[in-house]
């Protein structure tokens, strides 16, 4: 009986260890996606700023 409990305890410990590793990987992927998204937003804002023409360079064309 004690041997069976010991084996069961070892199996549960291994399962818990695998579960912790899986959650660690999932957490890492989620954080990496979040950081990637924030970087994309920031880089897009910087890129869009360089494409905006200043208002002084806009010239009104009138027909004569």
């Amino acid at each position: 009986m004690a041997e069976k409990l010991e084996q069961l305890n070892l199996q549960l410990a291994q399962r818990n260890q695998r579960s912790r590793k899986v959650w660690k990987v999932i957490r890492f992927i989620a954080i990496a996606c979040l950081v990637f998204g924030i970087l994309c937003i920031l880089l897009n804002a910087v890129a869009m700023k360089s494409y905006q023409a200043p208002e002084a360079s806009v010239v009104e064309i009138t027909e004569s």
Side-chain angles (χ1 to χ4, degrees):
M1 183 75 170
E3 291 176 14
K4 286 185 179 185
L5 287 174
E6 186 178 340
Q7 288 177 350
L8 183 61
N9 191 26
L10 286 173
Q11 289 173 352
L12 287 173
Q14 290 172 348
R15 190 169 120 192
N16 287 340
Q17 189 175 18
R18 276 193 304 267
S19 177
R20 276 189 242 120
K21 284 182 184 181
V22 168
W23 282 112
K24 188 183 284 188
V25 168
I26 291 171
R27 196 172 31 234
F28 174 77
I29 291 171
I31 290 172
C33 288
L34 183 68
V35 168
F36 181 73
I38 290 171
L39 282 175
C40 284
I41 291 169
L42 291 175
L43 290 175
N44 186 34
V46 170
M48 290 305 291
K49 196 178 267 191
S50 68
Y51 282 114
Q52 292 176 349
E55 291 182 23
S57 68
V58 176
V59 178
E60 185 176 329
I61 300 174
T62 57
E63 292 184 28
S64 309

